[in-house]
Amino acid sequence: MSTEATRPRLAYLTASVRSVRPVTPRLVRVTFTGPDLAHVVDGAPDQYVKVFFPGPGAKAPHLPPTLTDDAMSWYRRYLAMPDGVRPAMRTYTVRHARPWAAELDIDFVLHDDAGPGSRWAATARPGDEVALLGPHGLYDVPTGTSWQLLVGDETAVPAIAAICERLPEHARAVVFVEVADAADEIPLAGYGDRVDVRWVHRAGADVGEAVLSAVREATLPTGAPYAWISGEAGLVKHVRRHLVRERGVDKRHITFTGYWRRGRSEEDAGREQLRAHDRASESAS
């Protein structure tokens, strides 16, 4: 049997904190290091990893075994772990990967209603350990695209910034980012008139309402767009629906992913996804 056939499809990467620095008052950049990170290439600009955090009093997260079968089976096993043993896991964009230095950067949003990732990042110190799984990317611009539309909330800022930095020389993009207020804005300039950045302040409204209104009211370029939408799941759903139903955007030319869902943890969303998968499997059988 070949080495490729026996290698686990899901292999954890061990990483430790090298440094932590603020990007905005509510965004911190954690630089991780470790020999495993020499194998993380600088791939798609929106590539993401699953980050596993240590439990209370633990030095490193207690991880489920890697599997050689499908990811859904691994996820089912992860969710079946006892609550006191299962490590908290959240999904984050790889802001920068430097395989030659065995480093990568992840930007963490410090939420007011902090979840495990936000709480961990708020107190992270050099030497703290995590485990990573991935990376994977979704950004995929179709041939014939005239311009790009990037829409998200603060959790999408790292990916949007990376996409803007890596746009081809003649590519054009319109960017809508919803954040709490001006303190959450980061520099997305330096691209001339090729990138039109529009920061939308939430101003106390529910997540997604302000940016949806901004996109609806906007005069957008003509031609064939490629849309990339990420952030809170409701924001993503409503912006995508507007683009398809009211703007006539080809749904095949929209990349969308809910980074988080208001009032639901990632574990809750994962269990829901498994139930939907099981229902679909039963219907097909």
Side-chain angles (χ1 to χ4, degrees):
M1 185 177 294
S2 69
T3 303
E4 184 66 29
T6 57
R7 182 183 300 137
R9 292 182 57 197
L10 301 170
Y12 299 109
L13 308 175
T14 300
S16 62
V17 175
R18 168 159 286 178
S19 64
V20 182
R21 70 176 183 86
V23 179
T24 73
R26 289 182 284 261
L27 190 71
V28 297
R29 177 163 300 163
V30 179
T31 296
F32 293 96
T33 187
D36 291 348
L37 304 187
H39 305 292
V40 179
V41 299
D42 193 13
D46 66 343
Q47 69 177 350
Y48 59 90
V49 291
K50 294 189 179 298
V51 183
F52 300 83
F53 303 99
K59 178 176 174 58
H62 181 82
L63 300 168
T66 54
L67 302 177
T68 55
D69 55 0
D70 63 281
M72 193 67 73
S73 297
W74 171 88
Y75 200 43
R76 196 182 304 276
R77 182 172 295 187
Y78 165 76
L79 291 174
M81 295 175 73
D83 290 345
V85 176
R86 183 179 60 250
M89 175 190 70
R90 293 296 183 266
T91 306
Y92 290 95
T93 300
V94 176
R95 183 62 180 88
H96 300 105
R98 295 178 292 279
W100 60 90
E103 290 182 348
L104 62 80
D105 299 332
I106 295 178
D107 291 352
F108 292 80
V109 177
L110 303 180
H111 296 282
D112 293 334
D113 54 343
S118 183
R119 288 194 299 269
W120 178 88
T123 60
R125 297 292 183 270
D128 290 352
E129 293 186 11
V130 298
L132 312 176
L133 194 60
H136 307 282
L138 300 173
Y139 179 78
D140 186 17
V141 182
T143 301
T145 294
S146 303
W147 61 282
Q148 299 181 34
L149 175 65
L150 312 177
V151 184
D153 60 20
E154 49 266 78
T155 63
V157 166
I160 287 174
I163 291 170
C164 288
E165 290 171 359
R166 293 165 59 176
L167 283 172
E169 183 177 353
H170 300 294
R172 299 167 57 213
V174 179
V175 181
F176 292 86
V177 189
E178 181 185 287
V179 293
D181 52 47
D184 290 330
E185 297 181 16
I186 67 169
L188 286 177
Y191 311 103
D193 58 4
R194 296 190 304 116
V195 179
D196 178 2
V197 181
R198 309 182 191 187
W199 292 97
V200 182
H201 297 164
R202 193 168 298 124
D206 287 340
V207 175
E209 289 184 356
V211 76
L212 176 60
S213 295
V215 173
R216 279 177 169 162
E217 296 168 6
T219 299
L220 299 176
T222 58
Y226 166 69
W228 183 97
I229 315 165
S230 290
E232 197 279 325
L235 177 161
V236 172
K237 179 180 72 174
H238 292 299
V239 171
R240 178 178 180 270
R241 182 178 297 169
H242 163 71
L243 294 178
V244 173
R245 295 182 180 179
E246 300 175 39
R247 299 274 187 173
V249 177
D250 188 334
K251 63 178 62 177
R252 296 171 300 178
H253 295 176
I254 301 176
T255 293
F256 62 99
T257 180
Y259 282 166
W260 62 286
R261 183 176 298 181
R262 187 171 48 187
R264 305 289 298 277
S265 70
E266 188 156 336
E267 290 83 4
D268 292 336
R271 292 187 177 93
E272 184 177 309
Q273 182 182 3
L274 284 177
R275 288 193 293 268
H277 176 269
D278 290 343
R279 288 194 298 268
S281 298
E282 291 172 2
S283 298
S285 61

